[in-house]
Amino acid sequence: MRVRVALVLVLSAVGFGQGVLTPKPGSCRRMVVEGEVAAGRGYEKIIGGGLKVGLEPIAEGWAVRVVPAVGPRDPHDSAELATPPYRSLSPLIVSTGLGFRAQDAVGWNPRRFRYAATPAAHAALQRLYDKVTTAKDPSPADDAELGRLVAAAPEATLEILDAGLIPGTADQVESANAVAVHFTTTAHRIDQPADGKGTPLGKLEWIRFRFSLDVPPGMVPASGIKLVPGSCSIL
């Protein structure tokens, strides 16, 4: 199966909901959420716009999720749909999977992603995601439209502020070498395995983190969410 995504830079205003909304000068803001999570446990925080952001526990670490604050969630969440490449190495997965050692997972820092901010944006991305990832030869038009929607989605980052880990003993794989470049400059604590025997990939024990998410036009942040000036990445 061949999955291609053309990341098209959109230089016109992007509509959210029913109308076209353009940020006013000085109106760009970012939501900031900080927390700490231990292995096997999750974290979530309502951010507004009917959404919550969080870290979902998976077998070897955590997955970044942006999902509805209430009610059922779709198989693919709003961050996954807006953050290619799909079904591949992803900044949304903080884990020792795909050959990444614990120190590599921490060293990929910060991690940048996007998210669908409205049900309409989510549905549009889902429709094109389904077409592009299931077609044997996705059409250039579908590729371009998916790229346009991805480029229009609000930007966000996950920054690891501190971490506790048991390092892996294996050599670094090539894919990790390309992205895991900030381990030595990220605060961390090295722990030793209880039995004194290391493993090839090691273990992530806990992380302290900060999410920063663009506030798209029309979204009302949840009460108590910290807001800071943003960079107006939404055109």
Side-chain angles (χ1 to χ4, degrees):
M1 180 182 298
R2 182 158 56 95
V3 178
R4 297 176 289 119
V5 178
L7 295 181
V8 180
L9 179 62
V10 182
L11 298 179
S12 58
V14 176
F16 289 87
Q18 298 299 315
V20 175
L21 301 172
T22 304
K24 298 178 181 179
S27 68
C28 301
R29 299 173 297 169
R30 299 205 105 197
M31 300 174 284
V32 177
V33 174
E34 294 187 1
E36 185 172 319
V37 66
R41 296 186 176 273
Y43 175 94
E44 59 184 31
K45 179 77 170 181
I46 294 175
I47 57 174
L51 297 172
K52 59 186 177 183
V53 66
L55 289 170
E56 180 179 78
I58 57 177
E60 303 92 3
W62 303 271
V64 174
R65 301 296 187 205
V66 179
V67 298
V70 295
R73 53 184 276 189
D74 291 335
H76 303 290
D77 70 274
S78 292
E80 181 184 0
L81 291 173
T83 309
Y86 305 122
R87 302 178 182 177
S88 181
L89 185 64
S90 171
L92 301 174
I93 305 301
V94 184
S95 81
T96 54
L98 296 177
F100 271 50
R101 305 167 302 176
Q103 58 267 44
D104 298 324
V106 172
W108 189 351
N109 191 35
R111 293 162 177 259
R112 294 177 173 84
F113 62 97
R114 293 177 183 264
Y115 71 101
T118 67
H122 182 104
L125 280 164
Q126 180 71 68
R127 178 180 62 82
L128 284 162
Y129 171 91
D130 289 341
K131 292 179 69 175
V132 168
T133 58
T134 58
K136 291 183 178 180
D137 189 15
S139 74
D142 287 340
D143 271 350
E145 179 63 9
L146 180 55
R148 187 190 72 80
L149 293 178
V150 166
E155 293 182 347
T157 60
L158 169 66
E159 181 182 1
I160 297 174
L161 305 176
D162 199 355
L165 68 147
I166 299 173
T169 59
D171 292 335
Q172 188 179 56
V173 296
E174 184 177 354
S175 57
N177 182 60
V179 294
V181 296
H182 292 125
F183 178 64
T184 59
T185 56
T186 299
H188 60 272
R189 187 186 75 195
I190 299 294
D191 294 326
Q192 299 301 319
D195 60 3
K197 298 179 181 179
T199 60
L201 300 182
K203 180 182 179 182
L204 291 166
E205 298 193 305
W206 56 269
I207 59 171
R208 186 162 57 85
F209 59 87
R210 176 188 297 129
F211 281 113
S212 300
L213 306 98
D214 282 352
V215 181
M219 174 184 274
V220 178
S223 176
I225 288 289
K226 180 180 178 180
L227 297 171
V228 299
S231 59
C232 286
S233 64
I234 307 166
L235 302 174

